[in-house]
Structures are given as structure tokens and as C-alpha cells.
Amino acid sequence: MTQFWLWIGVIGMASGSIFFGVGAHNAKKESWRAIFILNFFITAIASALYLAMALGQGVNVIQDRTTYWVRYVTWFLSTPLLLLDLAYLGRTSVPLVGSLLGANAYMIATGFVATISPKPINYIWYLVSCGAYLAIIYLLVKPYRLEAERKLPGMAGAFRRLVTVHLVLWTGYPLVWILGNTGFNLISGGVETMLYTSLDLASKVGFGLLSLNTLHTLEQVREPQLVRR
Amino acid sequence: MTQFWLWIGVIGMASGSIFFGVGAHNAKKESWRAIFILNFFITAIASALYLAMALGQGVNVIQDRTTYWVRYVTWFLSTPLLLLDLAYLGRTSVPLVGSLLGANAYMIATGFVATISPKPINYIWYLVSCGAYLAIIYLLVKPYRLEAERKLPGMAGAFRRLVTVHLVLWTGYPLVWILGNTGFNLISGGVETMLYTSLDLASKVGFGLLSLNTLHTLEQVREPQLVRR
Amino acid sequence: MTQFWLWIGVIGMASGSIFFGVGAHNAKKESWRAIFILNFFITAIASALYLAMALGQGVNVIQDRTTYWVRYVTWFLSTPLLLLDLAYLGRTSVPLVGSLLGANAYMIATGFVATISPKPINYIWYLVSCGAYLAIIYLLVKPYRLEAERKLPGMAGAFRRLVTVHLVLWTGYPLVWILGNTGFNLISGGVETMLYTSLDLASKVGFGLLSLNTLHTLEQVREPQLVRR
């Protein structure tokens, strides 16, 4: 079952990267090209991750647990690009983008340490990593949305939806972590892989499509004088 | 004794990150928020470092020496932020910031290689790393200060103090390295940990406070027409 | 023979970094300083690589093959700087620079995975890495040159030469890889080292000189009103 879901991941992510890559190639406007390029690299990195795992690489027995540690290596590279999607759409200022990327790197790095630590130390790092995630939630729900709504008046609904979908999907990861062998061991390795693959496909391919849809909404509604950056 | 000083590091860095984090949250002006955010991440990264070491992680016997290699991982991430503090205050140009960050990454990376290399090869890498540090000293003492004084006339004193404190603190690290088991083995592991913890607290929490103080001085003295960037 | 070529690499790269470093120090114009600084760091990183290999470090037997894995660590850091040389000369836009750096990181990372993977899985990763290289070729031959020629009219010849030399040199690496013990094992370790050292010297020291020469051409021919960026 693990193998099945890993190959689903390969096929899904590769399809996504082809779609976004072709879109980037054909995009006329710079705004569309930017979003397509970001999502192309997000799904291309994830394709390599799933290919490696499907080939039996990037996995070791760590602390008596079968651990796909390579996930964290690629998440460290792909999650900042997802946040840049949000930042590009919301015209986020540099200090806020820096804070989001910093909190995200902190979350992934300490999540990785949690994953390779023996119990019960792993739970300490899990809480630290969740703390960084709470910081991301706060930054997106409050200052990110305020800034986006100030710069793009009348688009509050689009950004509320974007942030909500993003946070619902990202919240799935710490839940799977605590249910899997890294935490309380309530689900099997196969189910864990199924859940991570589903979350990855939704939060990378699906969220990429939502980003494009949001850009479409922004450019439809926006007054001409707001088109210039 | 080692454990005691590692927990001092955890408490000191966590206190610092709470202080800078609250400051970033409450800051009204973008300049203050930028400096608070940088120092929040510097001390948050160091908090994770000390927590890991206090929990017995990030340490291995390498070349018959008990080596806290995790220090170098976190220094690689936090030292560029310290240099960005200086760059932000002095309005440093991109080529100079790039040179400082490049020399710093080179210093930390070759210092890490020195730390995990067998004697006497480690001394070769130590000298290479010190060479990169000499480049940093030169860049800060000459072009950095010239640029800052040109862009912020009348503030020469503030920048002289800032650079002097920075260099005195950073010079402590290669001294501890050569005195510790990585070098001539003249001090015990406990003393080494005490010295590194003290240097870290002074150069991260202390230097962060000095950065805020310098920003205060700059904004007090500066003419109104210079406030705009 | 391996040792001989590694020390040739040390001497060549160190000479290059001294040359470019002195150039950066003495440069009057910011454009010249930028190119000198980039090539200084490129050759300084390569100097550390060759010093490590000459001292017997950064090499392990992986999958029954003697593997200088440290090459990939340093290529990951130096190749983006080479692309920044091109981007700076051609005034490349941010989305294109991002795409080039992304494809390059993908190429080096998957090339590294290929190098440490068992046969025949390594060939899968080799093809993935070559795919990323094909993307770089396309980006440089088409959009990069179009943009450079649009922004710097009349300089098509200089950019054609620059891109051609760049691609001829970079194409040597996958050829050596597939001929060496990582691939079909048709050349000895000594010959492999000789070829990699020659390619590195040509594509770093040599290409740095070509960059300077191209900058000279650009500034000679360019109309005064084009000098301002």
C-alpha cells in the first residue's frame, strides 16, 4: 500500500509539474508566469521526492521507526515557494515575507529534529515546531490579510478563502505526524503514506490551481489603476 | 558544568527571543520592526541550538573529540542575520552585503570543516576560516563604515562603536576554538561551553540590544530629510 | 595522478581567487566590482573544494565507488554565482533568474542523488538531472538571449559567444559523469579527476575572465544613455 501511494504521488506531482511548466512557457503576462513558475518548481521538487521514496531511497530506520527523512529535505525547499505564492498574490511587504519564511524554516527544521529524536524528546521538538506553525497561522490570518486587503481593496473574500484553504491543508501535517509512528502510533505506515500523499497533492497541485484561480479573480475585479504595481 | 551553561543558554536565548518577538509585534515604525524581527530570529535559532545541546543532541565524538557540531549548523543560519542587522542600520549597498554574507558563510563552513577534521589538518582549515574572518574585519572597518558615514553624516561615532563591539565579540570565537579540544586543549569542555555560551549571549542578545540602541541614536540625531529612505 | 590534478586545482583556483579578489578591491565602477566579487567567491569556493580533496577529505566509498561527494556540495554553492554572472551581464529579469537558479539547484541536487545511488537507479537520476540541464540550455539559448539583446541592442554577438562557451563547458560534466565510475566506467579515477579539474578551471577561472571581457565589450560599445541602469 505504501508503494502504491508513493507512485500515485510520482504521477500526480509529475502531471502537476508538466501542467504548470507548460503554463509558465505559454504565459503572456508576468504575473501569470510568476505563479506558474513557482508552482512548477513546487511540484517538480515534490516529483523528485516521491520518485526517491518510490525507489526505496531517502528512508532509514531511525529510533526504531521507519522514517522517510527525505520528506523534510524537500519540504524545506518547496514550502517557502508556497508562501511566495501567497506573498506574490497579496503583495506582501519584505518584513512580513521574511517573518513567514523564517517561521516556516524554523517549523520544518524543528519538525525534522522531532522526527529523528527518540521519544519522549521528540514531543518537545514537536511542540516547538507547532509553536512556529502557530506563528505562521497568526501572520497569515492577521497582518498578511490586512496588508492584502489594504493593497487590493474589495478582494477580502478571495484572500479569506486562500488563507483558509492553506491553513486547513497545512494543519493536516502535524495531525498525521502525531497519529503516525513518529507520535502515538495509531495509524499504520501505509495509511500515513496515503495521508501524506493526499495532503501533498492537495496542498501543492490543488493549492497551485487555487493560486491561479485567485490571480484570475484579482485581475478581473481590479480597477485599471490598481493593475500597475 | 556543561549542562548548567547549556541551560543558561536556553533560558537566556529564549528570554531574548520573547523580548525581541514582543518588540516586533508592538513596533510602530518599519525600521524598528525590521531590527526586532532580525534579532527575534537570531535568538530563536540560538534557543533551538541550546535546547538541542541541553537535551544531549547535536553532539558526537568526532576525531576522538566531543564535538557539538550542531553549533555550526545554527551559526550558518544566524550569523547572516546579525550581518543584516549591521547592513540595515548602515544602509549598506548590495555588493558589500553580498561580500559580507559570502565571507561569513565561507568562515562558518570552513570552521565546521576544521572542527570535524583530524589534527593537524584541522589547523589548515582553521587558518582558512580565520582568513575569511580577516576579510570580514576589513569589510566592516573600511568600506562598511565609509558607506554608513557617507549615507548618515554625523553618525561616525555610533558606527565605530557598533563595529568595535561586533568585532571584539566575534574575535572571541576563534580564541575559544584554539584553546578548546578542537585546538591546543588548554581548557576543559565545561569552560569551553561556558565561554561559548557567554559569547553567544553577548553577541546575540547583547548585540541585538545595541542594534536597537544604535537605531534609536540614528533616528534621534538624523535630520528630517534623511529619515526617508 | 589524482593527487597531482587535485593540487593543480588548488593552485589554479587559488590563483584565480587572488586575481579576482584584487580586481574587486581595485575596481572603480560598481559593474566591474560586481563581476569581480562573483568570480572571487566562485574560485574561492572551488579552492576550498580542491584543498579538501587534496587533503583526502570529502571522499568516501559509496556503492563500491570512490566518490568525491564534496564536489556536489560546493557546486551547489558556486554554480548559482556563475549564473548570476550571466544574469548581471544580460540584465536578466527576476522570473528568469529564479527559473535558472531553480533548474540549476534541481540539476545539482539530483546529480548528487545519482552519484550516491546504486546502479541502475543512478541512471534514472542522471536522466532527471540531464532534464534539468536541458531546461537551463533552453532558458539560456532562448529567453535569456532575447532579453539581453532587447536590453542591450547591438550586443547579440557578445551574448551568443558567452552562452556558447558556457554551455560547451557545462556539457562536459555530464559526459565525464557517464564515462567515469559513476556511469559506464570507461575512464580511470585519475583521468576523471584530470577532466573534472580541467573543466572546473575552464568554467570558473576561464569563464570569469570571459565575463570580464564581455563586460568590457558591453561598456565600450554601449551608447551613453544606455550606461545608466
Side-chain angles (χ1 to χ4, degrees), chain B residues 156-219:
Chain B
F159 284 107
R160 195 180 315 117
R161 191 182 53 160
L162 194 66
V163 167
T164 305
V165 171
H166 184 86
L167 291 180
V168 166
L169 291 172
W170 278 32
T171 303
Y173 290 89
L175 292 178
V176 175
W177 194 97
I178 203 69
L179 292 174
N181 67 6
T182 32
F184 303 147
N185 214 351
L186 298 174
I187 56 176
S188 70
V191 172
E192 186 192 89
T193 303
M194 179 189 75
L195 292 173
Y196 273 137
T197 305
S198 310
L199 283 171
D200 271 356
L201 285 171
S203 70
K204 290 180 172 67
V205 181
F207 190 77
L209 296 172
L210 178 60
S211 300
L212 291 169
N213 180 265
T214 306
L215 181 62
H216 181 71
T217 311
L218 295 183
E219 303 209 327

Side-chain angles (χ1 to χ4, degrees), chain A residues 25 30 33-34 37 41 43-53 55-57 77, chain C residues 76 93 95-96 98-103 106 110 113 116-118 121 124-125 128 138:
Chain A
H25 184 264
E30 193 176 303
R33 189 176 302 129
I37 289 174
F41 278 110
T43 45
I45 293 169
S47 303
L49 164 65
Y50 279 95
L51 182 59
M53 294 193 296
L55 294 170
Q57 300 181 295
L77 301 167
Chain C
F76 199 81
S93 61
L96 185 48
S99 302
L100 278 167
L101 295 182
Y106 205 87
T110 52
V113 176
I116 62 170
S117 292
I121 286 177
I124 298 177
W125 289 110
V128 172
Y138 167 76

Side-chain angles (χ1 to χ4, degrees), chain A residues 95 99 102-103 106 117 121 125 138, chain B residues 25 37 41 44-45 48 52 55 57:
Chain A
S99 301
Y106 205 87
S117 292
I121 287 177
W125 289 110
Y138 167 75
Chain B
H25 183 264
I37 289 174
F41 279 109
I45 293 168
L55 294 171
Q57 301 181 294

Side-chain angles (χ1 to χ4, degrees), chain B residues 5 22 25 58 116 119 121 157 164 174-176 188 218 222 229:
Chain B
W5 281 100
V22 170
H25 183 264
I116 61 170
K119 296 183 185 183
I121 286 177
T164 305
L175 292 178
V176 175
S188 70
L218 295 183
R222 225 149 56 175
R229 302 193 69 183

Side-chain angles (χ1 to χ4, degrees), chain A residues 60-67 69 72 108-129 177 180-184, chain B residues 48 51-59 69-70:
Chain A
N60 285 96
V61 174
I62 302 175
Q63 316 290 358
D64 292 328
R65 305 190 291 261
T66 301
T67 306
W69 50 266
Y72 293 85
I108 303 285
T110 53
F112 174 69
V113 176
T115 302
I116 61 170
S117 292
K119 296 184 184 181
I121 287 177
N122 64 338
Y123 294 116
I124 299 175
W125 289 110
Y126 176 73
L127 292 176
V128 172
S129 185
W177 195 96
N181 68 5
T182 32
F184 302 148
Chain B
L51 182 58
M53 294 193 294
L55 294 171
Q57 301 181 294
V59 57
W69 51 266
V70 70

